[in-house]
């Protein structure tokens, strides 16, 4: 068994292939955290807890001044009974007090991994893949049970955590804070890594030493947001791509979150992550249950690259679902930057015809096909085709695309409504709003209140009406604003602070229903690009539009940072025209192509305006990508040079059997008197002999990784280089 229990000592040891996570019930039922890190065969308490008297740290046992919850490393700490650090949860009773006292009650171990009701989570296809420990903590005074759930993927060395609150008492309880995980570390010698950004500038990497006090990233925007991601990692000083300890936390949730580390007065660090308690509460009636989202926790002593690959493989294989999880993703042409709102059926068909000649497999019609949508000022919510632009209807146009030998895809923004729309005029109370307050617009739109059943049903019916009558195999699901005036006309006053979380639960319900009804449709999520690129969305939609910024140089950082947690197969990446529409930069078509080949390749430009040489280049790019697509989408990804640390970026992909590799190198600006540079590959088999597909040169895998490739001198900005290698033999056996 992967989960070992010492019943006499109340010791719980979650033992992965290379990791161990250890807890123990101490004193009068307190659940203490003892160890998380490199695997130990048997935990016997060598790092035992030592208590000494600390002034101003309260003592629950008046006979023992040394023992205090303020210094005890805990698994799910409370506030109000002696621990002054950030609590994992907080409950308000009907009398207004917020003191609770959870003590250990019992445990249960089961094979497999339970589904979280109404929430996305990783899963096990076979019972043997995972083992789950549930530890029940109880506050007997109020009849509250809190169930801590730990699922261990033994072979993957991944632990997931979530928490379930059960009100077994006779009175209402109000949850003010319900985080999904809290881990107490014994020291503070760590650096903190987080991902931050903005619209068109997502997933930048921040790294800094943690200091006394609280360091937090969060969102209170109603979405996981481009500003901060629901992820953090603690790393030891000097940890790099291929060495060093990493403790990583990623929340499988798409709404308001907080992820934080607090360093206390005694140089210990507490990490906690979950739903943001700001502007949140949840009224828990007797016999009701509240479930927190899941946290995916990864430990490795082999650096950030190994951490990423652990997340990549888990998310690709056991978070993403549906037939497209294991299928090659299509190369698409999206009309957005080619036409924006101003298009006709004839113009779109011209683009589709030229795209097909170049090898494109899917044509996607973006915003502007419905209502009277000539700009962003109207029609969201009215999902009726605009016959001015498509006079023969959507089905006719989709069939024209399919008759060319391509699939057809369509853009929706189902969560939103325009004040200038039939839907809003009929149901002005269906949006998120506060009675008597002005309704702030963003992008000229409001947010539909998905906490309401009738609103969810309308969205499901409206989208289903299109998908069931038009031959669509791809949907781009967009969301282009964050929440203001957060309130619901359908909720009573005591539940208004539940609105944001109920919205996310409603969104998940809508998406679950649609992907169940239409299992053959590839759904791609989007939120002005990467504004909701999170693990929660990937459970329903196995890829995400990484950023509205299609500039190749900007995308080096955006895709590099995104890859810290998410696999390339989940990243939509497009080649667009120059000067780039977002930043005005002009980059070579070759470079734009190689950057976009780092994810799911697509194009977003008017191909009817390309020169013959550009057509030839695009056709060659598409042909190449079709050859390497299995390697890119299902191979192992290695970051080689960081654009956050210099003037270059590089990465390589290696097939699971290590017989194929693809390498991309980019230099941003040309330099005078540059150094001769060498790029060292990663992930190859050291005993294999590899052939350079383009030149025919032969090199050992050990040579390519240790000696590397010397880069030629090119006097030009925004250059790119690309290599492919295929194993042709083995040093020791002579064959692969």
């Amino acid at each position: 068994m992967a989960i070992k229990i010492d019943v006499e000592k109340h010791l719980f040891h979650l033992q992965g292939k290379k990791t161990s996570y250890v807890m123990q019930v101490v004193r009068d039922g307190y659940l203490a955290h003892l160890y998380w890190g490199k695997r130990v065969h048997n935990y016997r308490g060598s790092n035992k807890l030592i208590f000494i008297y600390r002034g101003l740290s309260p003592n629950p046992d008046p006979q023992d001044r040394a023992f205090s919850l303020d210094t005890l490393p805990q698994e799910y700490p409370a506030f109000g009974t002696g621990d002054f650090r950030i609590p994992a949860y907080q409950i308000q009773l009907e009398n207004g007090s917020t003191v609770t006292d959870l003590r250990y009650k019992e445990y249960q171990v089961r094979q497999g991994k339970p589904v979280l009701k109404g929430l996305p989570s990783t899963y096990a296809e076979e019972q043997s893949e995972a083992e789950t420990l549930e530890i029940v903590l109880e506050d007997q005074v109020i009849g509250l049970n809190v169930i801590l759930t730990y699922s261990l993927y033994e072979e993957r060395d991944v632990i997931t955590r979530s928490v379930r609150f059960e009100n077994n008492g006779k009175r209402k309880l109000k949850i003010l804070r319900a985080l999904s995980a809290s881990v107490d570390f014994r020291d503070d010698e760590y650096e903190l890594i987080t991902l931050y950004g903005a619209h068109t500038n997502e997933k930048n990497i921040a790294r800094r030493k943690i200091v006394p006090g609280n360091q937090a990233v969060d969102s209170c925007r109603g979405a996981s947001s481009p500003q901060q991601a629901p992820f953090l990692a603690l790393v030891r000083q000097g940890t790099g791509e291929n060495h060093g300890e990493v403790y990583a936390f990623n929340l499988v949730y798409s709404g308001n979150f907080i992820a934080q580390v607090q360093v206390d007065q005694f140089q210990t660090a507490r990490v906690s992550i979950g739903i943001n308690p700001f502007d949140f509460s949840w009224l828990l009636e007797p016999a009701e249950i509240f479930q927190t989202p899941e946290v995916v926790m990864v430990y490795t002593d082999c650096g950030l690259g190994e951490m990423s690959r652990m997340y990549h493989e888990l998310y690709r294989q056991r978070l993403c679902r549906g037939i497209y999880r294991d299928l090659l993703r299509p190369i698409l042409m999206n009309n957005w930057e080619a036409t924006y709102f101003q298009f006709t059926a004839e113009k779109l068909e011209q683009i589709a015809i030229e795209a097909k000649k170049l090898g494109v497999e899917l044509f996607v019609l973006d915003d502007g096909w419905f209502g009277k949508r000539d700009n962003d000022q109207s029609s969201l919510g009215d999902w009726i085709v605009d016959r001015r632009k498509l006079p023969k209807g959507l089905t006719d146009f989709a069939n024209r695309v399919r008759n060319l030998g391509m699939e057809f895809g369509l853009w929706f923004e189902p969560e939103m409504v325009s004040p200038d729309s039939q839907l809003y005029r009929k149901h002005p109370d269906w949006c998120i709003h506060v009675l008597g307050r002005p309704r702030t617009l963003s992008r000229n739109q409001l947010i539909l209140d998905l906490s309401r059943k009738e609103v969810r049903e309308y969205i499901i019916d409206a989208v289903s009406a299109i998908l069931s009558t038009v031959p669509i195999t791809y949907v781009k699901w967009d969301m282009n604003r964050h929440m203001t005036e957060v309130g619901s006309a359908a909720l009573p006053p005591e539940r208004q602070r539940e609105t944001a979380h109920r919205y996310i639960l409603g969104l998940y319900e809508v998406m679950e229903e649609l992907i169940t009804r239409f299992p053959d449709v590839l759904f791609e999520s989007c939120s002005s690009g990467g504004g909701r690129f999170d693990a929660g969305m990937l459970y329903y939609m196995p890829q995400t539009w990484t950023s509205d910024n299609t500039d190749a140089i900007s995308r080096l950082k955006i895709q590099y940072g995104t890859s810290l947690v998410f696999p390339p197969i989940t990243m939509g990446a497009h080649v667009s025209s120059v000067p780039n529409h977002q930043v005005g930069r002009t980059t070579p078509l070759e470079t734009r192509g190689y950057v976009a080949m780092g994810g799911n390749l697509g194009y977003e430009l008017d191909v009817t305006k390309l020169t013959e040489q550009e057509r030839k280049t695009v056709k060659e790019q598409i042909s190449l990508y079709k050859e390497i697509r299995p390697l890119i989408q299902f191979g192992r990804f290695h970051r080689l040079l960081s654009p956050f640390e210099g003037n270059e970026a590089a990465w390589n992909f290696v097939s699971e059997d290590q017989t194929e590799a693809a390498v991309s190198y980019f230099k941003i600006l040309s330099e005078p008197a540059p150094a001769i540079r060498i790029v060292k590959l990663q992930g190859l088999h050291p005993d294999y002999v590899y052939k350079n597909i383009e030149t025919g040169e032969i090199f050992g895998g050990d040579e390519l990784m240790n000696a590397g490739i010397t880069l030629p001198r090119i006097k030009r900005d925004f250059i790119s280089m690309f290599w492919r290698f295929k194993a042709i033999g083995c040093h020791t056996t002579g064959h692969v």
Side-chain angles (χ1 to χ4, degrees):
M1 293 180 64
I3 298 177
K4 300 180 178 180
I5 313 293
D6 187 325
V7 177
E8 291 185 1
K9 295 181 179 179
H10 294 294
L11 187 85
F12 305 92
H13 185 175
L14 284 64
Q15 191 175 65
K17 188 169 59 174
K18 297 180 181 178
T19 62
S20 287
Y21 189 100
V22 185
M23 305 165 281
Q24 187 175 25
V25 180
V26 300
R27 301 293 289 246
D28 300 318
Y30 300 110
L31 185 60
H33 176 78
L34 299 181
Y35 175 74
W36 182 26
K38 199 167 183 177
R39 186 182 191 272
V40 294
H41 185 70
N42 284 305
Y43 180 84
R44 295 186 173 93
S46 64
N47 67 334
K48 63 181 179 181
L49 300 175
I50 296 178
F51 300 100
I52 60 175
Y53 173 68
R54 303 285 194 178
L56 301 182
S57 289
N59 317 111
D61 181 357
Q63 305 302 316
D64 184 358
R65 296 182 66 194
F67 181 78
S68 175
L69 298 180
D70 199 30
T71 59
L72 179 69
Q74 298 172 67
E75 281 296 310
Y76 206 66
F79 183 85
T81 55
D83 188 346
F84 295 105
R85 294 166 291 178
I86 293 174
Y89 76 100
Q90 190 174 35
I91 307 291
Q92 185 176 45
L93 281 58
E94 286 187 336
N95 63 12
S97 69
T98 56
V99 175
T100 54
D101 188 7
L102 293 176
R103 305 292 181 96
Y104 172 77
K105 180 181 181 182
E106 59 190 2
Y107 78 91
Q108 179 182 359
V109 176
R110 66 177 73 173
Q111 282 296 118
K113 186 174 185 297
V115 173
L116 299 189
K117 185 179 180 181
L119 284 166
S121 63
T122 59
Y123 57 88
E125 288 192 338
E126 303 291 339
Q127 291 287 86
S128 59
E129 290 180 26
E131 199 170 355
T132 297
L133 167 67
E134 290 188 342
I135 297 178
V136 181
L137 307 179
E138 180 185 33
D139 186 324
Q140 293 184 347
V141 173
I142 60 175
L144 173 67
N145 277 7
V146 174
I147 296 89
L148 310 183
T149 300
Y150 303 77
S151 291
L152 171 64
Y153 292 90
E154 181 181 5
E155 292 300 310
R156 298 178 185 270
D157 278 316
V158 171
I159 296 171
T160 68
R161 288 184 61 176
S162 64
V163 181
R164 188 169 71 253
F165 291 78
E166 297 180 351
N167 185 357
N168 299 319
K170 298 180 180 179
R171 298 182 180 276
K172 299 177 183 179
L173 301 174
K174 180 169 281 191
I175 301 174
L176 304 180
R177 174 189 295 260
L179 301 185
S180 296
S182 181
V183 177
D184 283 345
F185 294 84
R186 302 280 193 96
D187 67 286
D188 65 349
E189 294 299 316
Y190 297 98
E191 294 174 342
L192 172 65
I193 295 178
T194 57
L195 297 170
Y196 73 96
H199 174 227
T200 71
N201 186 28
E202 298 90 343
K203 299 296 190 291
N204 292 277
I205 299 174
R207 181 168 178 168
R208 65 272 200 195
K209 189 181 188 314
I210 61 173
V211 297
N214 190 34
Q215 293 111 103
V217 293
D218 74 335
S219 174
C220 55
R221 294 170 170 265
S224 52
S225 89
Q227 283 72 25
Q228 301 287 348
F231 163 83
L232 70 77
L234 291 188
V235 301
R236 294 296 186 183
Q237 185 176 1
T239 293
E241 280 293 309
N242 303 305
H243 65 277
E245 286 192 300
V246 182
Y247 299 85
F249 303 77
N250 187 223
L251 187 65
V252 186
Y253 186 63
S254 307
N256 295 336
F257 76 91
I258 190 164
Q260 59 196 337
V261 55
Q262 181 184 35
V263 177
D264 74 355
Q265 58 192 328
F266 306 119
Q267 291 82 55
T268 68
R270 171 172 289 176
V271 170
S272 52
I273 185 170
I275 295 172
N276 197 335
F278 176 78
D279 201 39
F280 165 82
S281 67
W282 193 274
L283 189 62
L284 198 64
E285 300 275 359
E288 286 189 343
I289 292 173
F290 180 82
Q291 174 66 57
T292 74
E294 179 173 277
V295 176
V296 179
M297 297 167 40
V298 165
Y299 166 81
T300 177
D301 64 346
C302 296
L304 291 165
E306 185 63 17
M307 174 207 75
S308 295
R309 287 182 288 278
M310 293 167 74
Y311 275 121
H312 291 183
E313 293 182 13
L314 178 72
Y315 286 177
R316 182 172 62 81
Q317 299 170 358
R318 294 296 181 267
L319 177 66
C320 295
R321 298 180 295 162
I323 62 171
Y324 284 96
R325 186 193 75 175
D326 301 319
L327 291 181
L328 293 173
R329 308 292 169 80
I331 300 169
L332 65 84
M333 174 65 70
N334 184 297
N335 75 294
W336 178 241
E337 288 194 25
T339 67
Y340 293 102
F341 293 104
Q342 310 308 315
F343 59 80
T344 63
E346 289 71 25
K347 177 59 179 178
L348 295 177
E349 190 171 15
Q350 289 174 11
I351 294 174
I353 290 170
E354 293 304 316
K356 173 58 180 176
K357 292 178 182 177
L358 299 174
V360 171
E361 300 161 325
L362 166 69
F363 181 85
V364 179
L365 174 55
D366 211 284
D367 196 356
W369 58 267
F370 54 93
K372 297 180 180 179
R373 184 85 165 165
D374 296 325
N375 50 49
D376 66 7
Q377 297 177 17
S378 75
S379 301
L380 288 175
D382 298 341
W383 300 108
I384 306 298
V385 66
D386 184 352
R387 292 278 179 164
R388 297 173 305 155
K389 297 178 181 178
L390 301 172
K392 295 184 179 180
L394 197 57
T395 301
D396 172 78
F397 180 74
N399 283 328
R400 286 153 72 180
V401 169
R402 290 171 62 85
N403 289 338
L404 295 172
M406 288 192 294
E407 297 298 312
F408 179 68
L410 194 62
W411 178 96
F412 287 92
E413 193 172 359
E415 302 167 59
M416 302 294 153
V417 64
S418 302
D420 182 9
S421 68
Q422 296 179 27
L423 179 65
Y424 187 78
R425 286 186 281 272
K426 185 176 181 180
H427 297 289
D429 64 327
W430 273 16
C431 69
I432 287 179
H433 68 283
V434 173
L435 188 64
R437 297 289 182 184
R439 302 181 183 189
T440 301
L441 295 180
S442 179
R443 200 174 180 258
N444 300 299
Q445 60 197 54
L446 297 164
I447 304 175
L448 289 171
D449 183 0
L450 270 65
S451 73
R452 301 177 64 160
K453 181 180 180 182
E454 63 270 32
V455 174
R456 298 194 298 273
E457 290 176 344
Y458 172 81
I459 293 173
I460 291 169
D461 290 345
V463 175
S464 295
I466 299 293
L467 297 185
S468 60
T469 57
V470 182
I472 291 170
T473 59
Y474 165 99
V475 165
K476 180 181 178 182
W477 181 292
D478 211 345
M479 188 279 281
N480 284 307
R481 69 153 293 176
H482 292 154
M483 290 184 182
T484 56
E485 293 86 44
V486 183
S488 172
L491 292 175
E494 65 271 20
R495 290 190 180 273
Q496 285 298 312
R497 285 162 65 100
E498 300 176 10
T499 303
H501 182 57
R502 286 185 179 276
Y503 176 92
I504 295 297
L505 295 177
L507 172 63
Y508 291 154
E509 180 184 312
V510 167
M511 292 192 298
E512 182 69 30
E513 178 64 25
L514 287 171
I515 67 172
T516 301
R517 288 190 187 185
F518 304 99
D520 295 328
V521 173
L522 170 59
F523 286 85
E524 178 179 273
S525 66
C526 174
S527 178
S528 296
R532 203 164 59 184
F533 199 141
D534 59 64
M537 293 302 292
L538 288 181
Y539 184 73
Y540 305 96
M541 303 184 179
Q543 64 188 54
T544 300
W545 177 227
T546 316
S547 178
D548 278 350
N549 187 346
T550 55
D551 170 61
I553 302 307
S554 299
R555 275 297 190 110
L556 291 175
K557 286 186 176 180
I558 293 169
Q559 292 173 206
Y560 188 101
T562 302
S563 77
L564 214 62
V565 181
F566 301 107
I569 194 173
T570 65
M571 293 188 230
H574 294 179
V575 176
S576 61
S577 61
V578 292
N580 176 262
H581 293 189
Q582 290 78 47
V583 301
R585 186 166 20 234
T586 298
T587 53
L589 182 55
E590 291 82 1
T591 297
R592 283 176 271 156
Y594 287 133
V595 172
M597 287 185 207
N600 289 323
L601 177 65
Y603 289 81
E604 195 159 328
L605 44 74
D606 190 344
V607 288
T608 67
K609 297 179 180 179
L610 296 179
T611 66
E612 284 304 314
Q613 180 56 48
E614 288 172 333
R615 291 174 195 271
K616 181 175 182 293
T617 299
V618 170
K619 193 170 185 177
E620 290 172 349
Q621 288 175 349
I622 292 174
S623 178
L624 171 61
Y625 189 74
K626 287 179 179 178
E627 291 182 28
I628 65 174
R629 177 163 45 180
L631 178 60
I632 302 298
Q633 298 185 359
F634 299 109
R636 290 169 67 82
F637 181 72
H638 297 261
R639 294 180 294 267
L640 307 180
L641 296 172
S642 171
F644 293 100
E645 298 175 2
N647 192 37
E648 302 164 292
W651 49 66
N652 71 247
F653 296 85
V654 181
S655 61
E656 189 173 347
D657 63 5
Q658 298 177 292
T659 61
E660 293 184 72
V663 189
S664 298
Y665 168 85
F666 308 92
K667 186 168 184 178
I668 299 170
L669 296 178
S670 185
E671 299 171 299
I676 302 299
R677 295 288 284 155
I678 293 175
V679 172
K680 297 180 180 181
L681 278 55
Q682 295 177 18
L684 303 180
H685 196 298
D687 294 334
Y688 285 0
V689 176
Y690 293 87
K691 179 180 180 179
N692 184 319
I693 299 299
E694 182 179 357
T695 67
E697 296 173 289
I698 306 297
F699 305 103
D702 52 356
E703 182 181 4
L704 290 170
M705 292 189 292
N706 298 322
I709 302 172
T710 301
L711 303 177
R713 169 80 163 107
I714 300 176
K715 298 179 181 179
R716 192 174 68 242
D717 292 339
F718 316 133
I719 66 169
S720 58
M721 301 179 196
F722 183 80
W723 301 267
R724 291 175 66 196
F725 294 95
K726 189 171 183 62
I728 59 172
C730 179
H731 291 308
T732 55
T733 65
H735 60 272
V736 177

